[in-house]
Amino acid sequence: MFLRLLGEERLEETIRQISLRERMAGSAGMAALAQDILALMSRQKLDHVWTDTHYVGLQFPDPAHPNALHWVDEDGTVGEQLPLEDPNAYCPYSATGNVTGKLVYAHYGRPEDLQDLRALGVEPAGCLLLVRVGGTSFAQKVATAQHAGALGVLLYPDPADFSQDPHNPGLSSQQAVFGHVHLGTGDPYTPGFPSFNQTQFPPVASSGLPSIPAQPISSDIASHLLRTLKGPVAPQEWQGHLSTSLYRLGPGPGLHLAVNNQRTSTPISNIFGCIEGFAEPDHYVVIGAQRDAWGPGAAKSSVGTAILLELVQTFSSMVSNGFRPRRSLLFISWDGGDFGSVGSTEWLEVPSPHFPHPQGYLSLLHLKAVVYVSLDNAVLGDDKFHAKTSPLLINLIENILKQVDSPNHSGQTLYEQVVSTNPRWEAEVIRPLPMDSSAYSFTAFAGVPAVEFSFLEDDQEYPFLHTKEDTYENLHRLLRGRLPAVAQAVAQLTGQLLIRLSHDHLLPLDFGRYGDVVLRHIGNLNEYSGDLKARGLTLQWVYSARGDYIRAAEKLRKEIYSSEESDERLMRMYNVRIMRVEFYFLSQYVSPADSPFRHIFLGHGDHTLDGLLDHLRLLRPNDGSRASKASSSGLVPGLSFQESRFRRQLALLTWTLQGAANALSGDVWNIDNNF
């Protein structure tokens, strides 16, 4: 029924129409589009349709005082201005103000790049850094530069990072790339709290806001700047394809950067549509797509929004034809995505008891939401397929890939296409959830398993993302006319996933998978067992907690295998235990306001397994590669290993793992904690 009712023709036309509409968050065009989507959902056979509005702090350029870049003379006088071709290109959440310093080329601006820079005799501290787009997010680049003592960051797209095929459309040399620089998600001025008009919260700001200014520039301006640099020649792998002969590291001439972005309280609106389940209506399968865009946003949000609306119409038609999901389907169109998943994170921060049904806020989300499926970044090419996901969904994704036809390999399923390239399909397809996805907040902040599907070009970035050239025409040309087929494949994948998650008696989540994830992390920790033993310390607690988790998972598997699927009460009890697994990997020992991403595998900070590993690296301070990794986590240079801190980290991590094992065990009389 689903495959029969899904419409490929509607998808392409909807993508084209949405990409033609101006829809920056807070704009009149966005308000009009929101009303149109609300009306479309209201015409479908949905049980509930509603919106919510948040007043969030967004940054926009100041038309009266545009951002500017000037040369600085030897005597320190601010001289000629370098023209920024697009005065509207900017980095939301950049620090504002004026900085002056010499220019240094720093490749992608990653921690290892800055370490290499210092090894080559060039000090980034006190300079402006010129960095390429790609490799890491804008926010990570600026945070790394700030950590190294840089005064500011200029970000540009290098042609070397995009397809060299002359038949493929390329980014214009006058285009700059938009990107926010908040190392986090949601409204950074109300971290951990929802943003509503007149809501009184303490005046705090996210620790992920940078203290240095950042500005995107075009490759034309970057080429002009690179020609002025002296100093050592950049390593071969740092060389790009701009019109200068060789890239040098600098330092170069002085520059003056002025960033005058304004913070504005801006209303954003999320739109919701719900089909209620008949057996477990209080358990939700959530599907979301970003609606806003800086520029046309064809790939950024038009594709995802079009697929979301197509799924709404298809499942609505299925309901009219007799389909009844066991669990509820919740379709959401998010606002404020380009500023760091602001709409989705704000919704997750809202406490339900203050809002009556059908406002739909999910209190205790881990007890209500089964899975979140993100439709963002769904079509950025057609050569390869990635699933950025929680480990709980990997087996289900494998099964569904075997049911969906490849959009560009006739006669093959997507699974067959993948294994023809690499027999180890997981290595080819599965990726961790990135912070710039709305799916990340659902898992790392709320403890709900999530997935985001993406078709990509082989080994090359989609060149137009976050630019004024992310048009329907360019996306269509890049895919050589296969845009409808690839978008249809994403819709089919998502639809099959939704049917399994909303219709199966037992939730098809592989709760045993995290045992393998812990084992991989333990492999990294084991490298330091000798160093710890010399200090009278051990990792035995973590090994014991992993053992308890594996035993609890195996016990639950056997219980399920020997039970009757027709026993509704028993199935619901098992489903609740399975749904809680992801949530119990959120550390209960840190404050959500201080450390919103509490997930011990995905989050950031001392409470995570990566945080523990970074601390252990300090046992070997003379190992350069490890020092670079430790510095990338935000550890202060020169910090030494602290036994008391290690003991605390290990204890809290152990009890988080133990809590997940206990949750799988179920009743309190089945729990056996022998510590």
Side-chain angles (χ1 to χ4, degrees):
M1 191 192 297
F2 170 74
L3 294 174
R4 188 178 77 247
L5 293 171
L6 191 67
E8 184 176 310
E9 297 78 14
R10 279 189 311 223
L11 263 175
E12 183 175 22
E13 181 58 19
T14 307
I15 294 168
R16 191 180 70 81
Q17 290 291 343
I18 292 174
S19 67
L20 293 173
R21 300 183 68 158
E22 194 276 322
R23 58 190 192 286
M24 186 79 164
S27 68
M30 171 53 94
L33 178 60
Q35 286 303 313
D36 289 348
I37 289 176
L38 183 65
L40 184 148
M41 284 194 178
S42 299
R43 291 194 298 271
Q44 305 306 311
K45 200 167 183 61
L46 304 176
D47 296 299
H48 307 284
V49 176
W50 73 98
T51 65
D52 69 6
T53 299
H54 302 264
Y55 287 78
V56 296
L58 304 183
Q59 257 196 6
F60 298 99
D62 181 354
H65 303 93
N67 299 344
L69 190 62
H70 290 81
W71 294 112
V72 174
D73 299 335
E74 289 294 332
D75 62 1
T77 307
V78 176
E80 180 188 355
Q81 181 173 349
L82 283 96
L84 299 176
E85 287 101 341
D86 187 352
N88 293 318
Y90 74 111
C91 290
Y93 304 125
S94 162
T96 56
N98 303 279
V99 292
T100 301
K102 291 187 178 296
L103 186 69
V104 166
Y105 170 57
H107 201 210
Y108 293 112
R110 299 166 300 190
E112 57 266 35
D113 294 328
L114 298 195
Q115 188 188 21
D116 290 345
L117 202 57
R118 287 190 172 110
L120 292 163
V122 179
E123 176 54 56
C127 296
L128 287 168
L129 300 190
L130 178 66
V131 304
R132 282 154 68 158
V133 172
T136 60
S137 71
F138 278 32
Q140 289 168 311
K141 295 174 193 291
V142 175
T144 302
Q146 177 181 312
H147 184 71
L151 298 177
V153 183
L154 300 172
L155 304 103
Y156 80 96
D158 197 296
D161 296 316
F162 305 116
S163 173
Q164 305 306 305
D165 186 342
H167 301 294
N168 281 346
L171 185 66
S172 158
S173 61
Q174 290 88 41
Q175 284 291 324
V177 181
F178 169 96
H180 78 87
V181 292
H182 171 218
L183 193 62
T185 63
D187 181 350
Y189 305 111
T190 59
F193 302 104
S195 300
F196 285 109
N197 205 16
Q198 312 303 327
T199 308
Q200 298 300 309
F201 285 119
V204 294
S206 166
S207 59
L209 282 174
S211 60
I212 61 173
Q215 175 66 27
I217 60 173
S218 69
S219 59
D220 272 356
I221 295 175
S223 178
H224 192 40
L225 293 174
L226 283 163
R227 282 196 296 269
T228 69
L229 289 182
K230 309 295 184 192
V233 173
Q236 182 57 43
E237 60 271 21
W238 289 32
Q239 298 294 328
H241 288 175
L242 292 179
S243 54
T244 184
S245 54
L246 277 175
Y247 290 19
R248 291 184 177 272
L249 300 177
L255 288 173
H256 178 83
L257 172 63
V259 173
N260 302 307
N261 304 335
Q262 294 177 312
R263 172 183 165 184
T264 307
S265 180
T266 307
I268 62 169
S269 295
N270 299 323
I271 305 168
F272 303 82
C274 183
I275 296 172
E276 279 197 22
F278 73 88
E280 301 175 39
D282 57 333
H283 289 167
Y284 301 81
V285 180
V286 188
I287 318 96
Q290 174 182 328
R291 186 174 72 252
D292 62 301
W294 182 85
K300 181 59 191 171
S301 63
S302 296
V303 169
T305 299
I307 294 171
L308 178 77
L309 296 178
E310 183 59 40
L311 290 171
V312 167
Q313 293 176 84
T314 302
F315 277 94
S316 171
S317 298
M318 289 169 66
V319 169
S320 296
N321 280 272
F323 171 72
R324 296 177 69 207
R326 294 183 60 79
R327 299 171 195 93
S328 296
L329 290 167
L330 182 57
F331 302 92
I332 312 177
S333 173
W334 303 116
D335 200 350
D338 261 0
F339 291 82
S341 303
V342 175
S344 55
T345 305
E346 292 305 309
W347 181 67
L348 289 173
E349 290 174 342
V350 174
S352 157
H354 302 297
F355 298 91
H357 188 78
Q359 287 295 111
Y361 300 96
L362 301 183
S363 65
L364 300 172
L365 197 65
H366 67 286
L367 297 178
K368 301 280 188 179
V370 176
V371 163
Y372 175 69
V373 184
S374 166
L375 296 171
D376 299 336
N377 306 304
V379 181
L380 302 175
D382 68 345
D383 290 329
K384 60 184 179 182
F385 172 77
H386 284 169
K388 292 157 275 189
T389 183
S390 158
L392 295 173
L393 287 159
I394 292 175
N395 277 4
L396 179 57
I397 290 167
E398 179 181 9
N399 290 334
I400 289 168
L401 288 177
K402 293 174 180 177
Q403 298 171 17
V404 175
D405 291 337
S406 165
N408 54 3
H409 289 70
S410 181
Q412 282 190 329
T413 64
L414 266 174
Y415 182 82
E416 289 166 341
Q417 176 190 327
V418 166
V419 294
S420 68
T421 307
N422 185 346
R424 294 175 60 245
W425 81 273
E426 281 186 44
E428 190 71 19
V429 170
I430 301 301
R431 296 292 184 274
L433 289 164
M435 189 185 280
D436 58 1
S437 163
S438 61
Y440 180 86
S441 290
F442 270 82
T443 301
F445 176 75
V448 175
V451 60
E452 180 176 286
F453 297 129
S454 294
F455 281 92
L456 307 134
E457 286 298 282
D458 202 6
D459 301 325
Q460 295 292 338
E461 298 284 335
Y462 174 71
F464 309 113
L465 204 63
H466 293 297
T467 75
K468 294 288 179 67
E469 294 183 358
D470 183 15
T471 61
Y472 165 80
E473 288 75 19
N474 275 335
L475 183 60
H476 196 277
R477 283 169 59 208
L478 188 78
L479 270 71
R480 298 168 293 280
R482 287 202 288 269
L483 174 59
V486 180
Q488 175 87 347
V490 177
Q492 285 188 16
L493 277 165
T494 308
Q496 300 272 23
L497 192 78
L498 300 184
I499 288 168
R500 289 290 309 277
L501 290 167
S502 68
H503 204 61
D504 284 11
H505 279 69
L506 186 75
L507 283 173
L509 301 179
D510 185 5
F511 45 84
R513 273 277 177 169
Y514 267 114
D516 301 332
V517 175
V518 178
L519 187 60
R520 282 201 302 273
H521 280 271
I522 285 176
N524 295 327
L525 298 175
N526 271 344
E527 193 179 335
Y528 298 91
S529 58
D531 303 78
L532 291 170
K533 189 176 181 181
R535 292 169 174 258
L537 300 170
T538 177
L539 293 164
Q540 186 57 45
W541 281 9
V542 178
Y543 306 153
S544 297
R546 176 186 177 263
D548 280 355
Y549 184 87
I550 289 171
R551 282 188 291 275
E554 187 56 35
K555 182 171 175 288
L556 178 57
R557 231 188 232 110
K558 287 177 179 175
E559 281 182 41
I560 291 169
Y561 183 76
S562 60
S563 62
E564 290 291 331
E565 193 178 76
S566 58
D567 188 332
E568 293 281 350
R569 179 185 164 278
L570 198 56
M571 287 298 113
R572 181 180 175 87
M573 186 183 75
Y574 290 146
N575 285 337
V576 166
R577 279 160 68 180
I578 294 168
M579 283 170 63
R580 289 180 181 176
V581 168
E582 197 82 67
F583 174 79
Y584 280 100
F585 287 120
L586 302 185
S587 175
Q588 307 301 304
Y589 307 103
V590 292
S591 160
D594 298 329
S595 301
F597 304 122
R598 295 179 292 146
H599 202 286
I600 61 170
F601 299 109
L602 273 180
H604 305 280
D606 258 16
H607 61 284
T608 66
L609 273 159
D610 281 342
L612 179 64
L613 183 59
D614 286 329
H615 190 193
L616 289 175
R617 288 188 177 113
L618 296 175
L619 288 166
R620 301 177 189 175
N622 297 323
D623 189 324
S625 65
R626 290 185 174 87
S628 167
K629 289 176 181 174
S631 70
S632 73
S633 70
L635 290 175
V636 179
L639 196 67
S640 60
F641 180 81
Q642 298 168 10
E643 184 176 321
S644 60
R645 178 180 162 216
F646 167 78
R647 287 181 181 277
R648 176 177 169 79
Q649 281 181 290
L650 188 64
L652 300 189
L653 265 172
T654 299
W655 280 106
T656 302
L657 285 171
Q658 192 64 48
N662 294 350
L664 272 186
S665 293
D667 298 310
V668 290
W669 50 84
N670 289 324
I671 296 170
D672 181 20
N673 294 327
N674 292 313
F675 283 96

